[in-house]
Amino acid sequence: MSPATPPTSSATDAECVVLTRNLRRRGVLVLSVFALMWALAAASGTGSATEAAPLGIEAAALLLTAAAIYLGYRKDAAPSPRTVNLPAGWARGVGIVNTVELAAVFAVIAASNASGRPEVVPAGIALVVGLHFFPLARLYDQWQYKWTASLMTAVAVAGFVLVAAGLASETVRIVVGLGSALVLWASSYHLALRG
């Protein structure tokens, strides 16, 4: 091999590159779809489904989601700048984190409704979602999930403050829904464009 010829990747390196690309693409899909769900929740707080405000939010949300997925899955995307370094048992860890998150979401809904405080649900769910990104940052070797976690937690705190201030549940749903959607879309676009 001449000095100008780059070394051939081993099968392990090639598999790692494929795994990295697949995990990041899956991250783009999951983040953008959940961002869409948060945006739709926000739109539901803006008025009747036939009014311009919710329709505008829904249309923008669909476009942002479709664009993120397109960017994440396009064939001509540059390769990720680095491959992930997954800890042992990462898939099992992700399963545990997601199971705990789902159970906590149901617990938030049940406790909020049982206490007669359904207006707390959006902020409570945003808090659970935000916190679950802290362990996912390590398990997926994605440092950017730490800022996703921090920003989602901040959105949740803002929602709790609005509830404590006595604002209408629709206002809380709009603020928490749009805030959460923006954080998740930002994370999705970051993965799609920068890895």
Side-chain angles (χ1 to χ4, degrees), residues 36-183:
L36 173 64
M37 291 171 59
W38 277 106
L40 295 177
S44 73
T46 62
S48 166
T50 59
E51 294 176 19
L55 291 175
I57 291 171
E58 292 164 356
L62 286 169
L63 288 173
L64 286 167
T65 300
I69 293 169
Y70 167 77
L71 291 171
Y73 281 80
R74 70 193 189 283
K75 300 252 187 278
D76 62 341
S80 296
R82 67 175 184 85
T83 55
V84 293
N85 183 15
L86 302 172
W90 70 272
R92 182 175 180 274
V94 168
I96 291 169
V97 168
N98 288 335
T99 300
V100 169
E101 177 203 21
L102 186 60
V105 165
F106 283 118
V108 163
I109 294 168
S112 298
N113 289 332
S115 66
R117 301 295 309 262
E119 68 276 9
V120 175
V121 169
I125 292 174
L127 180 62
V128 168
V129 172
L131 293 176
H132 107 290
F133 276 103
F134 283 112
L136 289 184
R138 182 184 62 80
L139 291 168
Y140 280 126
D141 188 27
Q142 292 294 321
W143 63 267
Q144 54 274 64
Y145 286 169
K146 289 181 182 178
W147 62 258
T148 305
S150 299
L151 291 173
M152 283 288 291
T153 301
V155 168
V157 169
F160 287 124
V161 168
L162 295 177
V163 169
L167 272 71
S169 62
E170 291 82 7
T171 302
V172 175
R173 195 163 60 239
I174 292 166
V175 170
V176 173
L178 288 180
S180 297
L182 291 173
V183 169

